[in-house]
Amino acid sequence: MTGSGAWRKGTAAGMASEEEGTERSDGFEAATGDGPVRATTPRARAAEVRVAFEGLLQIRRLTNTGSGDPAAVPARWERRRPVRAVALALEAAGVPASVVDSSGQRVATGYRVVAAEPPAAVRVEWLGPHGAGAAQDEERALTECAAVLTRLGWEALLYRGPRQRRFLEVEPAS
């Protein structure tokens, strides 16, 4: 991470400023599965993810002041940015994200998080390069994703879609 903007964005203070509506485009972005190979080393990326996820948990502790464990319920920030929140949760758990090259071709197998209906919901798919076997691994991988998300207060339901491909529909638990 370089510059104070990148550090600040990955912390509770940086995410809180986004909560207040002053979204910034510099700094940390969770891997959604539609991005390129990261330019940072795996160790540096892991540190960035760790800081961002700790910030997310701190937001939960500070804003979820109702009953129960505040860290076990998605915060308003997450509910307003479910693609980013779900992608961060999966990346922090060590689940690999899919990767695309500059031409848009998938070059690595992993999760892909995209917006779904209703607006607070997301869809998690397991995708990879053509012929890489992602379809054979998707049930096991998506079940692992669902377990991660359920522990963090998300409801993740496994469905079978077109061409019999499985996907998760994820939304904040009620």
Side-chain angles (χ1 to χ4, degrees), residues 51-172:
V51 169
F53 189 67
E54 288 170 1
L56 177 109
L57 294 178
Q58 184 66 10
I59 287 172
R60 285 181 171 199
R61 285 189 287 274
L62 293 172
T63 61
N64 291 341
T65 57
S67 63
D69 179 7
V73 179
R76 194 174 95 204
W77 180 91
E78 295 170 89
R79 293 170 185 268
R80 291 178 37 194
R81 294 165 186 81
V83 170
R84 292 173 74 181
V86 167
L88 176 57
L90 293 173
E91 192 173 3
V95 180
S98 185
V99 176
V100 296
D101 65 15
S102 60
S103 69
Q105 296 295 312
R106 296 224 170 263
V107 295
T109 300
Y111 67 81
R112 175 180 180 233
V113 181
V114 295
E117 293 295 326
V122 298
R123 180 179 174 130
V124 178
E125 304 167 316
W126 192 257
L127 303 174
H130 181 70
Q136 288 78 24
D137 295 335
E138 71 186 3
E139 184 173 16
R140 176 201 52 77
L142 290 172
T143 299
E144 178 184 334
C145 292
V148 166
L149 296 169
T150 299
R151 285 191 302 271
L152 293 169
W154 296 91
E155 185 174 307
L157 301 175
L158 184 63
Y159 290 100
R160 196 180 286 268
R163 299 188 319 245
Q164 301 301 304
R165 294 296 305 262
R166 292 175 178 86
F167 65 93
L168 293 175
E169 186 168 294
V170 181
E171 58 188 33

Side-chain angles (χ1 to χ4, degrees), residues 22-41:
T22 57
E23 184 103 19
R24 298 188 331 222
S25 62
D26 61 337
F28 180 82
E29 285 293 329
T32 63
D34 277 334
V37 173
R38 299 283 174 187
T40 62
T41 67

